[in-house]
Amino acid sequence: MPPSKDKLVVLYLQAVGTKEWREFGRTEVIDNTRNPDFVRKFVLDFFFEEKQNLRFDVYNVDSRSCNISKHDFLGQTFCTLGEIIGSTGGRLERTLSGIPGKKCGVIIFTAEELSNCRDIATMQLCANKLDKKDFFGKSDPFLVFYRSNEDGTFTICHKTEVIKNTLNPVWQPFTIPVRALCNGDFDRTVKVDVYDWDRDGSHDVIGEFTTSYRELSRGQNQFNVYEVLNPKKKGKKKKYINSGTVTLLSFKVESEYTFVDFIRGGTQLNFTVAIDFTASNGNPSQPTSLHYMSPYQMNAYAMALKAVGEIIQDYDSDKLFPAYGFGAKLPPDGKISHGFPLSGDAENPNCVGIEGVLEAYFQSLRTVQLYGPTNFAPVINKVANCAAEITDGSQYFVLLMITDGVISDMVQTKEAVVNASSLPLSIIIVGVGPAEFDAMEELDGDEVRVSSRGRLAERDIVQFVPFRDYIDRSGNQVLSMARLAKDVLAEIPDQLLSFMKSRGVEPRPALSTSALPELHRHI
């Protein structure tokens, strides 16, 4: 290939529903080299819970035309954004292809997270000599913080607790993301209203003051004693000075780590699957069965497994996934099992890739007898035992359980979840079929934290969804799967962070320092 040609890379993003590729951006043109090192970065929004498909096309630029068809195509490659972020040190190398019988070279991607104001501020305030507002007592003061917006309006961003019957309250320290306080602009006005709480909700304004993040960040000093002013009183009383003062007692800022920090530091997501083989699913050879293997389309179990697995696999370097079945009678002696490896090998429950898991699942349907009951605890405890051995932050376990019915061992399952809540583990439960899944909501601790024998779960680690809520009306399976994955995986990054924080685990340094999809190409 003559080295005199100029090189260009075009990035395309794929729409989920239509599968259509849309141009996102182009690198600069690099002159006269076979090993261009592109400087222009593509800034993409990263969503862990979505499969973000990317395509990179490489061209020799022959003319000044913006029309891409006027240039010589040199090759292309496909990957997901998750693959780049999940690769060692955020560096992914791919071979270019697209010209039959020709070596097209190699393209290298690197990614880094833009530090979008990830600081968290913790502060404590007190007040002195606030105005007495209550007829019988003193006042019941609380503070409301507002950040100012570009258009001059204010948005509430924090409320302190109420302290009863005092004119000299000391509020508890509170923590707030810096971006919530000032949107990244350290000099932007922060308005604080001081209220007297009333039972009927008609809280009286004691007064107000303004500050800024920059001012607060100076910590405790004479500048951070604020006069609380009441505009109405000030207008009426000539001798009015103020309605008390508020003092900043302490202020500290810490940087919060992100999900990407841990992935780049080498944390691996360890994905395990457990599939319900109870008789209520129906005979797998019948089209009415939830386990029916149609040559034309995937059943709900396979769809749920593929939807979640295809996203998580980008963050697991060995692509070996343990897969289990529960609620079946196993050959040769018909023993009931609540945690048999789909691989058929008790010593090695791993399957290679998501395709390997699907293959082992279909194979198991041919060899085991669907039975019962629907016991969840054995599999949860099995994975929890693995997670308990690796709590240094290098691994985080995600267990996907797919079921068609009501849990038979709810008491034991709750206990298993409470025990597992202190481990690096998240549990996703997908309900398939038409059953009532009311009891499952108990395990999904969004409303009420799961408890067992008076012990509360340390973290909310269970996400439950019924698959029927995600099925696309037009029958588009790709859309159904994308919707399901988006919902069940959305909480995983925060659950991982809450575990790491609870154990004081910090991400290891990224294995390489690099820029956001910066592109290098070797021909």
Side-chain angles (χ1 to χ4, degrees), residues 406-448:
V406 179
I407 299 177
S408 313
D409 64 340
M410 193 57 154
V411 172
Q412 292 87 339
T413 296
K414 279 186 173 178
E415 183 162 1
V417 167
V418 170
N419 291 339
S421 67
S422 62
L423 299 171
L425 171 64
S426 290
I427 302 167
I428 296 166
I429 304 172
V430 177
V432 295
E436 283 305 316
F437 294 114
D438 298 358
M440 297 284 193
E441 299 294 350
E442 264 187 83
L443 293 175
D444 188 330
D446 285 349
E447 302 299 322
V448 179

Side-chain angles (χ1 to χ4, degrees), residues 68-88:
I68 213 71
S69 61
K70 298 271 194 292
H71 306 302
D72 291 339
F73 175 70
L74 295 180
Q76 69 182 180
T77 194
F78 299 83
C79 66
T80 66
L81 184 55
E83 280 179 289
I84 300 176
I85 288 169
S87 57
T88 306

Side-chain angles (χ1 to χ4, degrees), residues 228-511:
V228 177
L229 299 175
N230 185 316
K232 279 187 181 173
K233 269 192 162 184
K234 200 174 179 184
K236 285 180 186 171
K237 295 185 176 179
K238 280 189 178 163
K239 289 184 177 175
Y240 175 79
I241 299 168
N242 60 43
S243 296
T245 58
V246 168
T247 301
L248 180 70
L249 292 174
S250 64
F251 188 93
K252 72 169 188 212
V253 179
E254 293 168 301
S255 204
E256 282 257 293
Y257 293 115
T258 66
F259 175 72
V260 172
D261 288 333
F262 282 97
I263 297 300
R264 291 197 49 141
T267 298
Q268 294 282 306
L269 294 191
N270 217 309
F271 181 49
T272 304
V273 179
I275 289 177
D276 182 337
F277 279 79
T278 55
S280 52
N281 283 282
N283 183 339
S285 62
Q286 301 297 318
T288 50
S289 169
L290 292 164
H291 281 307
Y292 181 64
M293 288 185 285
S294 156
Y296 306 110
Q297 61 176 27
M298 286 187 288
N299 66 33
Y301 279 91
M303 281 170 70
L305 168 59
K306 202 169 154 73
V308 175
E310 282 196 339
I311 289 172
I312 288 185
Q313 71 177 353
D314 289 344
Y315 306 91
D316 186 335
S317 60
D318 66 11
K319 307 279 186 281
L320 294 175
F321 307 120
Y324 298 99
F326 56 94
K329 277 186 172 179
L330 306 189
D333 52 4
K335 195 165 156 274
I336 297 170
S337 173
H338 298 293
F340 60 93
L342 299 185
S343 64
D345 181 350
E347 296 301 306
N348 181 12
N350 288 330
C351 301
V352 180
I354 298 308
E355 291 308 317
V357 179
L358 284 166
E359 219 168 281
Y361 157 56
F362 293 137
Q363 186 55 39
S364 296
L365 283 174
R366 296 186 186 101
T367 54
V368 306
Q369 183 192 341
L370 271 55
Y371 205 70
T374 311
N375 289 357
F376 269 39
V379 168
I380 294 174
N381 289 329
K382 203 184 274 272
V383 179
N385 289 339
C386 297
E389 289 174 19
I390 311 168
T391 56
D392 62 355
S394 62
Q395 305 258 342
Y396 190 86
F397 291 75
V398 178
L399 168 60
L400 170 66
M401 303 189 77
I402 315 173
T403 183
D404 81 314
V406 179
I407 299 177
S408 313
D409 64 340
M410 193 57 154
V411 172
Q412 292 87 339
T413 296
K414 279 186 173 178
E415 183 162 1
V417 167
V418 170
N419 291 339
S421 67
S422 62
L423 299 171
L425 171 64
S426 290
I427 302 167
I428 296 166
I429 304 172
V430 177
V432 295
E436 283 305 316
F437 294 114
D438 298 358
M440 297 284 193
E441 299 294 350
E442 264 187 83
L443 293 175
D444 188 330
D446 285 349
E447 302 299 322
V448 179
R449 189 64 60 85
V450 183
S451 62
S452 167
R453 301 187 197 180
R455 281 192 311 138
L456 278 176
E458 192 179 304
R459 299 160 37 244
D460 170 20
I461 62 166
V462 179
Q463 172 76 341
F464 166 75
V465 297
F467 194 11
R468 56 175 174 254
D469 291 359
Y470 300 90
I471 293 172
D472 181 64
R473 289 208 179 107
S474 67
N476 183 331
Q477 285 199 335
V478 174
L479 269 182
S480 304
M481 288 160 69
R483 284 177 189 160
L484 173 77
K486 193 177 164 85
D487 224 24
V488 297
L489 291 172
E491 291 182 16
I492 299 285
D494 280 346
Q495 289 178 0
L496 179 145
L497 289 171
S498 76
F499 169 78
M500 300 298 185
K501 199 170 181 181
S502 72
R503 292 293 172 278
V505 176
E506 296 192 353
R508 294 167 188 178
L511 299 162

Side-chain angles (χ1 to χ4, degrees), residues 4 39 44 222 235 309 328 411 452 482 509:
S4 57
V39 176
L44 304 170
Q222 74 271 27
V411 172
S452 167

Side-chain angles (χ1 to χ4, degrees), residues 9 11 27 36-44 54 56 77 79-94 106-114 260 264 510-522:
V9 178
L11 166 61
T27 62
D37 195 344
F38 296 100
V39 176
R40 183 171 300 158
K41 298 169 178 62
F42 297 126
V43 180
L44 304 170
L54 313 178
F56 295 89
T77 194
C79 66
T80 66
L81 184 55
E83 280 179 289
I84 300 176
I85 288 169
S87 57
T88 306
R91 179 186 186 278
L92 183 68
E93 193 169 310
R94 278 287 159 90
V106 168
I107 188 164
I108 297 166
F109 311 106
T110 54
E112 73 176 1
E113 189 171 28
L114 299 177
V260 172
R264 291 197 49 141
L511 299 162
S512 73
T513 51
S514 45
L516 198 135
E518 196 172 318
L519 302 166
H520 309 266
R521 178 164 181 276
H522 305 289

Side-chain angles (χ1 to χ4, degrees), residues 155-176:
T155 301
I156 184 166
C157 58
H158 182 74
K159 253 185 207 174
T160 68
E161 76 280 16
V162 176
I163 300 199
K164 294 288 184 73
N165 200 26
T166 178
L167 303 178
N168 302 301
V170 179
W171 289 280
Q172 291 290 322
F174 68 90
T175 299
I176 185 169

